[in-house]
Amino acid sequence: MTDFTEYVTDIVHEPTQTDSPGLDLTVAEVYEVVEPGRIDFGGGELDSAGVTPHSSEKRDPADDYEWWTLRGGQYLVEYNESLTGEATVTLQPRTELLERGATHPTLHVDTLSRVPLSVGGAGLKLKENARVSTIVAADEQ
């Protein structure tokens, strides 16, 4: 069994994030795309999309963490964790995310950029630091 912790930094709570096969990644921020980006053939006109943090709020004033209320649509999620760059990892959505009508693509990455999150029509309530993705494989570089 691979110890994925050697490829990941800034883990929020290792015992919880490694309690099943793989290593779970947690949400630090959710963004909305508010301005279109540009992609061209040669890359000379490549331009990032404009994004803004999606609002979040505490369910109770005494809570330590906030919640995002996401309507059906597309978002970008940013993780708390980072990769060391010593491996390309396979990242997939957690079953808990899929069962609630949301998903993101399975990716093979050596850095953790923002990942597109698709939320189904009924929406999703997502808590800060929620585990939404799992690293399931790593290929050392």
Side-chain angles (χ1 to χ4, degrees), residues 67-90:
W67 290 78
W68 293 280
T69 299
L70 306 177
R71 297 178 314 275
Q74 295 290 119
Y75 301 88
L76 294 173
V77 294
E78 186 171 275
Y79 298 106
N80 288 302
E81 297 78 16
S82 300
L83 296 178
T84 64
E86 297 174 15
T88 296
V89 300
T90 302

Side-chain angles (χ1 to χ4, degrees), residues 8-93:
V8 181
T9 60
D10 306 317
I11 296 172
V12 173
H13 189 259
E14 187 175 326
T16 303
Q17 290 175 252
T18 59
D19 71 352
S20 58
L23 187 142
D24 295 333
L25 301 177
T26 61
V27 176
E29 188 66 69
V30 176
Y31 294 91
E32 293 182 56
V33 178
V34 294
E35 295 289 331
R38 288 193 316 226
I39 301 174
D40 68 322
F41 180 78
E45 297 177 77
L46 192 63
D47 197 16
S48 297
V51 298
T52 186
H54 187 74
S55 62
S56 60
E57 59 187 29
K58 294 182 177 182
R59 289 192 316 177
D60 181 281
D63 287 347
D64 289 333
Y65 300 101
E66 296 192 356
W67 290 78
W68 293 280
T69 299
L70 306 177
R71 297 178 314 275
Q74 295 290 119
Y75 301 88
L76 294 173
V77 294
E78 186 171 275
Y79 298 106
N80 288 302
E81 297 78 16
S82 300
L83 296 178
T84 64
E86 297 174 15
T88 296
V89 300
T90 302
L91 176 70
Q92 69 184 28

Side-chain angles (χ1 to χ4, degrees), residues 103-126:
T103 191
H104 67 68
T106 296
L107 301 168
H108 306 286
V109 296
D110 58 9
T111 60
L112 284 179
S113 300
R114 294 174 183 157
V115 171
L117 176 70
S118 297
V119 176
L124 178 69
K125 294 189 184 291
L126 185 62

